[in-house]
Amino acid sequence: MHLKFIGRGSAFNTLEGNNNAFYLNDKGQMLLIDCGETTFTRLKEKGILNEVKELFVAITHTHSDHVGSLSSLILYLFFVLNIRANLVLTGDETYNRTLKDLIKIMGVSDDNINFITTNEFINKMEEFKSFEFLESAHVDNFKTFGIVYTADNGITYYSSDTNSTECLENYLNNKDLDKIYIDISIREQEGNSHLSFDTLLEVVPKEKRNKVYTMHFDSDELIQKAIGAGFKVVDKI
Ligand SMILES: [Zn+2]
């Protein structure tokens, strides 16, 4: 299973658009991971929402380039497409409450949306045999979650934004690994909330780079560096 990307840029890379991924099956069921400021516009303009019959959204953290157009998407689905979106909740009640409050103050009422657990999600979208949020390191002011799921070809780890290599290194050595989607950054300064490209080069041996899909690019220069070093680069629709 491949995720598709409607944007693959870091927060200020307006050319590439906000990084986020989706999977849409032939029944019209769609998993959307994150919904940043540019995401709703791009999904609508590309006609992707016309194919959606059931939507599941997983939000990794509340930076606006990951959640900024979520309420517009939910309300468009409800009022225009007559679909009630499903927000997949983490196991962290405080984080879930923050997400619920955030969309509430942006105009989403409980009538417009369903809140579901990860178990309810995998019961509805059968390609996913397991689906789990993993707390990761990104910024100090709120929690951020990566995602790990199992599908036909094995385990996929999706880092979201992180400056930690812990999960990356764990899943690289998992014999059932299918692929890893990893946040990278060209910046090297201390306190970087993203994973620097030089760290990625140190951590991932050359023979494993064909399973590592880089994303969340600061610039075209970084995309070219990742390709040159043997990593995969996610395609943007
Ligand atoms: Zn972030």
Side-chain angles (χ1 to χ4, degrees):
M1 178 194 295
H2 280 290
L3 296 178
K4 294 183 175 177
F5 284 71
I6 196 81
R8 59 178 184 177
S10 61
F12 308 138
N13 188 347
T14 51
L15 185 67
E16 291 288 347
N18 300 148
N19 196 90
N20 85 303
F22 70 90
Y23 171 75
L24 177 64
N25 68 18
D26 54 14
K27 290 189 279 189
Q29 292 179 305
M30 179 170 165
L31 169 70
L32 178 68
I33 301 176
D34 288 340
C35 191
E37 292 137 332
T38 62
T39 304
F40 168 65
T41 303
R42 289 188 176 207
L43 285 171
K44 185 169 179 291
E45 287 180 355
K46 300 274 182 192
I48 294 165
L49 296 176
N50 298 335
E51 299 172 45
V52 173
K53 294 190 172 63
E54 196 172 19
L55 178 70
F56 303 95
V57 188
I59 299 293
T60 63
H61 64 298
T62 51
H63 271 146
S64 59
D65 60 319
H66 292 258
V67 74
S69 68
L70 178 59
S71 62
S72 297
L73 176 68
I74 293 166
L75 295 173
Y76 176 80
L77 253 68
F78 186 80
F79 288 111
V80 179
L81 302 181
N82 292 315
I83 295 168
R84 194 187 297 211
N86 299 281
L87 187 63
V88 185
L89 297 175
T90 70
D92 185 308
E93 283 309 318
T94 306
Y95 177 78
N96 295 341
R97 173 49 54 200
T98 301
L99 265 187
K100 288 176 178 179
D101 288 346
L102 186 65
I103 58 174
K104 190 173 183 180
I105 61 173
M106 290 196 289
V108 175
S109 73
D110 287 350
D111 292 344
N112 306 141
I113 189 165
N114 300 316
F115 299 106
I116 66 170
T117 65
T118 51
N119 278 338
E120 287 169 324
F121 166 65
I122 61 174
N123 285 337
K124 286 178 182 254
M125 204 159 176
E126 61 187 17
E127 292 92 330
F128 293 89
K129 312 300 178 205
S130 72
F131 189 91
E132 199 181 335
F133 291 95
L134 303 173
E135 190 176 341
S136 65
H138 176 37
V139 289
D140 291 337
N141 39 339
F142 50 68
K143 287 188 178 180
T144 298
F145 296 87
I147 290 169
V148 61
Y149 61 80
T150 311
D152 283 353
N153 295 328
I155 295 172
T156 293
Y157 166 58
Y158 182 97
S159 72
S160 187
D161 293 4
T162 190
N163 57 14
S164 167
T165 60
E166 190 183 338
C167 285
L168 170 67
E169 292 182 84
N170 283 344
Y171 286 108
L172 263 184
N173 294 316
N174 189 310
K175 66 177 176 46
D176 295 323
L177 179 70
D178 177 13
K179 53 178 79 82
I180 290 172
Y181 294 96
I182 191 81
D183 167 31
I184 60 168
S185 165
I186 209 156
R187 292 185 301 276
E188 287 299 326
Q189 83 267 25
E190 193 143 327
N192 189 353
S193 54
H194 300 276
L195 193 66
S196 80
F197 183 60
D198 283 355
T199 304
L200 190 73
L201 288 172
E202 283 168 26
V203 168
V204 184
K206 281 204 169 98
E207 68 274 13
K208 292 189 176 179
R209 292 180 185 173
N210 65 343
K211 290 193 167 193
V212 177
Y213 288 70
T214 51
M215 61 181 185
H216 204 276
F217 302 107
D218 302 311
S219 63
D220 192 53
E221 180 193 350
L222 183 55
I223 294 173
Q224 299 311 321
K225 277 188 169 187
I227 293 169
F231 291 100
K232 300 278 191 181
V233 163
V234 298
D235 284 325
K236 184 184 65 175
I237 288 177

